[in-house]
């Protein structure tokens, strides 16, 4: 790739704090293909939305004509001991696994599992904020935005919270392996680490799953192990792949959503003040946030089963397709004044959770967590301010968010 | 001159809407939203404010929604004169006047007709009057039927296996009530989705314990000495004992009140142009009478300009909005009604959804999933084009097929799709009944024809 390659600039860490100018440039060529073997990059809202509903677009890596830079990592997924999760499967397998997982997670089978956590979520948030003590400053990521969703997903899945340092060591390299920037540079060592991590995490969860098979509790893992709906049961390997997915997706994204949210509020103090006075603003605010600063910036894992045409460009069968959700979310073809953060906009829509059959499984939980987190932070922190703008970012171009978010305040309200 | 006239209409004109249900309400709201400041009158024959009907055959029958609490949410203040519980009985086009059942008359500068449809009653009046015989169209119908279902009937008999009939049967089974369904055609839902998909619906029903009888008609309803229904006689000479009978024979359009008015109105509805302006009986478009909702038949560019009558919730809303807009606009500011027909139903735990006009399709191709698993997407083709799609528990894919319909994409689709099964490589006849044979009536009726360019590309409004 040339030095000026836009694709390179998407993954370039230098643009992490503000990738939106690159996205703007990207949208000028809605179907961008810079070089042989490189991805077809889609950046307009309507095109992304259409492709997410297109049955000719596959999520299975096996359908890539040339796995190229993914080869080592793909192998790690296959030989890391676990089958691919439903995120990387097409129907009918995807549908079966997702249905079983969903019957443990949401309506109509478990209509209260998420909504019933409202009180519990508030308690966790309250405890974390109480824990700031009489400090006048915190790192929002380490002191709040990370521990909150981790605690939640641990409780939900049934993973002991105190094991967090152990599984974090496995989760981190796995998350890093999702970053296309990293993948481009991946060597055998990197792939081996990812493979190893996946296997270790799988073995750890296998131990818990075995316990649940013997003695079910009121948690997701028990329900996955003991599923016996119309779709039958998951195999133990499927249970493990699914719980690895839920464990990772259950907190890596919410950390960023909450942190991006607080950062955005601190940059828009009028909205922060409004949220303090009108907590009922929270649902709209979180939706606008998912449009304006989505935690998942792009979906790099799609390929086509046949030649398909998008805006007059033919994408050949087996090509890699990147759907840049965050670029679509600020597409002026779709949104009026798209660069403005405005929770009052009339029709708040977004690709923040994707769309189609792979639409974010945990969306109801992520929404609730973020609504509660931001409302409580706004209510309790007195005069919060940013220490550093922009804050230091995490490396990942797919799961984008600050690594640290130092904020100061005058005190914590009761 | 014209601009001045229009300005006066918007400022102080009189607009009358006959029909105070979904289409009427949304039209009234749109008129106000677009700045109409004159006199607005809504006439409705039911005594209730506009309410939502889809729940009546689903959650209401299950006791999950109160039939008297399905008011439609208001989008804005309409500041209208509501004349509820009054029926329009006649129309004087020349004088611009609507006659009412209470003897009153309402004058208008612009009229919107949104009188919808009503349930087709059981044809033998004395039998229809038996206690325990129900129609299901209005809130009162639903309330009555729900009460009766709660009282623990031994068997419910449903006449007609269209969507409403199937939903009633589903609600009965969910509550453990024995139910028999009789259908004149070979399978449920054939009028709407054809015989191939109908066979899937039939399996689904039987698997849920419905006693489904096809290719039979009901010959008589039998009452006991106290005037309660007790048995149903069928054309195959069988007799089924039942204490509740639900007559689900489709609908009739409420156009009788227009007889002799000069409008192009009849049993198939009121013909209008793409801008919702009604035609008179000579095929000449009127300029002050508009039509919207179930009662309208309008030409659709995507479906060869056939006149379509659509009994679809979404169509009622979209057409009302277009009609209202056009009522207070002129010339180039007017816009066509190009809604993509879409319909959904939920029965026996399955979500069924269709887009486009399935009954127009001669052939069907299952492009994703499998009918045996009852999770699939099927595409209907007409003269080498995709004209409709249906999904069972696969709603999220329909958007893709909707775009294919809009583009006039070729049929059968040649491309591979994920989850395409080997047995579905070729299209099969969709197996719609001969349209000249009576069925209970589909929810989409191809009711006319006008030759025109079929190559038109349809760009729907996207927000």
């Amino acid at each position: 790739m040339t030095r000026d390659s836009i694709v390179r600039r998407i993954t370039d860490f230098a643009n992490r704090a503000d990738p939106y100018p690159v996205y703007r440039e990207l949208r000028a060529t809605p179907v961008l293909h810079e070089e042989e073997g490189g991805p077809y990059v889609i950046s307009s809202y309507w095109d992304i939305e259409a492709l997410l509903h297109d049955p000719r677009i596959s999520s299975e890596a096996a359908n890539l004509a040339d796995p190229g830079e993914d080869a080592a990592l793909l192998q790690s997924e296959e030989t890391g001991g676990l089958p691919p999760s439903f995120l990387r499967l097409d129907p009918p397998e995807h549908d079966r696994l997702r249905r079983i997982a969903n019957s443990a997670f949401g309506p109509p089978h478990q209509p209260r599992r998420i909504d019933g956590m409202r009180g519990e979520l508030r308690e966790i948030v309250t405890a974390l904020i109480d824990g700031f003590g009489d400090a006048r400053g915190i790192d929002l990521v380490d002191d709040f935005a990370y521990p909150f969703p981790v605690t939640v997903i641990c409780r939900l899945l049934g993973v002991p919270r105190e094991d967090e340092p152990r599984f974090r060591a496995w989760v981190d390299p796995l998350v890093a392996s999702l970053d296309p920037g990293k993948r481009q540079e991946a060597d055998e060592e990197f792939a081996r680490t990812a493979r190893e991590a996946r296997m270790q995490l799988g073995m750890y969860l296998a131990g818990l799953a075995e316990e649940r098979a013997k003695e079910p509790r009121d948690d997701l893992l028990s329900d996955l192990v003991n599923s016996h709906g119309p779709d039958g049961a998951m195999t133990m390997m499927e249970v493990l792949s699914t719980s690895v997915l839920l464990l990772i997706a259950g907190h890596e994204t919410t950390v960023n959503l909450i942190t991006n949210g607080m950062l955005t509020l601190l940059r828009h103090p009028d909205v922060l003040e409004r949220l303090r006075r009108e907590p009922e603003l929270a649902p709209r605010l979180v939706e606008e946030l998912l449009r304006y600063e989505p935690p998942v910036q792009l979906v790099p894992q799609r390929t086509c089963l046949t030649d398909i045409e998008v805006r007059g460009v033919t994408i050949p069968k087996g090509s890699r397709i990147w759907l840049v959700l965050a670029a679509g979310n600020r597409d002026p073809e779709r949104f009026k004044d798209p660069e403005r953060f405005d929770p009052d906009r009339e029709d708040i829509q977004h690709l923040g959770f994707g769309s189609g059959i792979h639409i974010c499984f945990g969306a109801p939980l992520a929404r609730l967590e973020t609504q509660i987190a931001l409302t409580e932070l706004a209510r309790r922190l007195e005069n919060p301010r940013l220490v550093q703008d922009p804050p230091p970012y995490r490396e990942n171009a797919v799961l984008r968010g600050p690594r640290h978010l130092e904020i100061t305040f005058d005190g914590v309200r009761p | 001159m014209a601009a001045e006239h229009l300005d006066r209409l918007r400022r102080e004109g009189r607009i009358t809407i006959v029909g105070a249900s979904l289409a009427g309400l949304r039209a009234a709201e749109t008129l106000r939203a677009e700045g109409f400041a004159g006199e607005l009158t809504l006439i409705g024959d039911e005594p209730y404010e506009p309410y939502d009907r889809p729940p009546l055959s689903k959650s209401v029958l299950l006791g999950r929604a109160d039939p008297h609490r399905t008011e439609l949410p208001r989008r804005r203040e309409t500041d209208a004169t509501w004349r509820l519980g009054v029926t329009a009985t006649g129309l004087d086009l020349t004088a611009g006047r609507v006659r009412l059942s209470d003897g009153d008359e309402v004058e208008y500068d612009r009229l919107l007709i949104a009188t919808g449809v009503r349930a087709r009653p059981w044809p033998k009046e004395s039998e229809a009057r038996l206690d325990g015989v129900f129609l299901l169209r209005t809130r009162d119908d639903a309330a009555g039927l729900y009460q009766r279902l709660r009282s623990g009937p031994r068997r419910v008999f449903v006449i007609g296996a269209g969507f409403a009939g199937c939903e009633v049967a589903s609600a009965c089974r969910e509550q453990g009530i024995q139910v028999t369904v009789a259908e004149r055609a070979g399978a449920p839902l054939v009028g709407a989705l054809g015989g191939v998909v109908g066979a899937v619906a039939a399996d689904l029903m039987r698997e849920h314990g419905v006693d489904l009888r096809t290719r039979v008609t009901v010959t008589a309803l039998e009452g006991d000495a106290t005037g309660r229904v007790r048995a149903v006689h069928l054309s195959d000479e069988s007799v089924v004992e039942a204490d509740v009978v639900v007559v689900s024979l489709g609908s009739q359009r409420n156009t009788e009140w227009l007889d002799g008015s000069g409008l192009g109105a009849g049993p198939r509805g009121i013909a209008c142009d793409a801008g919702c302006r009604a035609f008179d009986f000579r095929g000449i478009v009127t300029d002050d009478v508009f039509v919207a909702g179930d009662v309208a038949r309008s030409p659709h560019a995507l479906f060869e300009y056939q006149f379509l009558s659509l009994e679809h919730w979404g169509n009622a809303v979209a057409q009302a909005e277009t009609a209202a807009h056009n009522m207070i606009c002129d010339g180039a500011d007017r816009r066509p009604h190009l809604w993509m027909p879409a319909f959904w139903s939920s029965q026996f735990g399955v979500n069924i959804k269709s887009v486009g006009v399935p009954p127009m399709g001669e052939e069907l191709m299952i492009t994703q999933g499998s009918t045996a698993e009852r999770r699939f997407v099927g595409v209907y083709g007409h003269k080498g084009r995709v004209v409709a799609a249906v999904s069972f528990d696969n709603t999220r894919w329909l958007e893709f097929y909707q775009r294919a319909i809009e583009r006039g994409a070729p049929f059968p689709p040649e491309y591979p799709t994920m989850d395409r099964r080997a047995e579905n490589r070729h299209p099969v006849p969709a197996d719609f009944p001969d349209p000249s044979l009576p069925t209970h009536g589909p929810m989409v009726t191809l009711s006319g024809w006008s030759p025109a360019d079929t190559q038109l590309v349809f760009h729907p409004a996207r927000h």
Side-chain angles (χ1 to χ4, degrees), chain A residues 335-405:
Chain A
F335 297 104
K336 214 165 96 187
D337 213 354
E339 305 284 344
R340 217 167 82 91
F341 177 70
D342 177 12
D344 292 321
R345 65 174 61 241
E346 247 180 41
D347 85 305
I348 303 186
Q349 298 283 330
H350 57 77
L351 299 166
F353 287 133
S355 189
I357 61 162
H358 291 282
I359 191 167
C360 175
F361 182 85
L365 179 60
R367 285 192 161 107
L368 198 55
E369 285 176 322
T370 311
Q371 288 164 10
I372 291 174
L374 295 180
T375 310
E376 284 301 290
L377 288 170
R379 188 176 72 79
R380 296 195 57 193
L381 298 186
E382 274 179 54
N383 189 25
R385 293 153 332 253
L386 270 178
V387 172
Q388 193 187 357
D389 192 5
Y393 270 79
R394 305 166 66 173
E395 232 179 298
N396 208 306
V398 169
L399 301 169
R400 170 179 166 267
R403 173 62 196 96
H404 297 287
L405 190 70

Side-chain angles (χ1 to χ4, degrees), chain A residues 5-41:
Chain A
S5 148
I6 300 185
V7 171
R8 179 68 68 191
R9 281 161 56 209
I10 297 173
T11 55
D12 186 352
F13 184 68
N15 294 313
R16 193 73 70 248
D18 184 11
Y20 295 99
V22 181
Y23 295 156
R24 203 153 41 232
E25 222 178 298
L26 197 56
R27 283 192 304 262
T29 316
V31 184
L32 178 82
H33 182 57
E34 289 183 316
E35 63 172 36
E36 188 78 15
Y40 284 77
V41 184

Side-chain angles (χ1 to χ4, degrees), chain A residues 46 49-50 53-58 90-92 95 99 231 305-306 333-334 356-357 359, chain B residues 368 373 375 393-401 403 407 415-419 421 462-463:
Chain A
W46 293 120
E49 223 262 340
H53 287 92
D54 194 322
R56 300 167 301 172
I57 304 295
S58 166
D90 292 339
D95 293 3
R99 270 197 308 268
D231 288 296
L305 299 173
T306 178
E333 263 184 21
R334 172 63 182 83
I357 61 162
I359 191 167
Chain B
Q368 292 177 253
E373 290 166 20
R375 292 180 205 282
D393 275 348
N394 257 302
T395 311
R396 288 188 200 279
W397 293 116
L398 279 194
E399 225 183 280
F400 170 79
Y401 295 97
R403 270 188 291 268
R407 282 197 324 269
Y415 47 78
T417 42
M418 57 179 88
D419 203 8
R421 310 293 168 88
R462 284 188 128 160
H463 39 104

